[in-house]
Amino acid sequence: QVQLVESGGDSVQAGGSRRLTCAVSGFPVSRYWMAWFRHAQGKEREGDAAIHRDGTTSYAESVKGRFTIAKDNAKNTLYLQMNSLKPEDTAMYYCAADVWVDDGMLASEYMYWGQGTQVTVSS
């Protein structure tokens, strides 16, 4: 069975930080593309960050310098470190995975998804 479970979302003040966790079972994160997406109210799902099996990363321009994606292969876990949070970062955050993608920042590329965790940033 494949399962992705996000956690770590919470309410936070603007300028604050949160670390999201995606616990993965059923496949090794070391061999998959992994990514974090956001889905804000009234907006389409969009990619924040992606990481390849070799550690290569991609970031949306809006989060470069603020968010960091990382994997812990031993724990089979994906993380998203979010710093300098802004109210516009308020969204449900989802982790996603697939064995291979052509564009790691496109939601349609990914087969496996978690249930999401809510991050609310207040000003």
Side-chain angles (χ1 to χ4, degrees), residues 8-28:
D10 204 351
S11 297
V12 61
Q13 294 291 124
S17 299
R18 292 295 297 178
R19 190 189 197 195
L20 306 184
T21 297
C22 178
V24 177
S25 60
F27 64 86

Side-chain angles (χ1 to χ4, degrees), residues 18-97:
R18 292 295 297 178
R19 190 189 197 195
L20 306 184
T21 297
C22 178
V24 177
S25 60
F27 64 86
V29 300
S30 62
R31 299 182 184 178
Y32 278 64
W33 276 90
M34 302 289 297
W36 287 96
F37 290 83
R38 67 173 68 184
H39 193 183
Q41 188 177 42
K43 302 182 68 176
E44 296 181 350
R45 187 170 298 191
E46 59 186 53
D48 287 312
I51 185 167
H52 187 43
R53 67 176 74 178
D54 66 0
T56 302
T57 58
S58 297
Y59 294 94
E61 288 295 328
S62 61
V63 307
K64 283 184 178 178
R66 300 192 299 123
F67 291 9
T68 303
I69 189 170
K71 294 187 292 186
D72 186 329
N73 292 335
K75 295 182 178 181
N76 215 45
T77 300
L78 178 73
Y79 302 97
L80 184 67
Q81 178 65 47
M82 305 186 296
N83 299 326
S84 301
L85 283 162
K86 306 173 182 179
E88 50 263 46
D89 294 319
T90 296
M92 284 287 292
Y93 284 79
Y94 299 86
C95 63

Side-chain angles (χ1 to χ4, degrees), residues 24 30-31 52 100 107-108 112-113 115:
V24 177
S30 62
R31 299 182 184 178
H52 187 43
W100 180 259
S108 60
Y112 302 111
W113 291 84
Q115 82 293 335

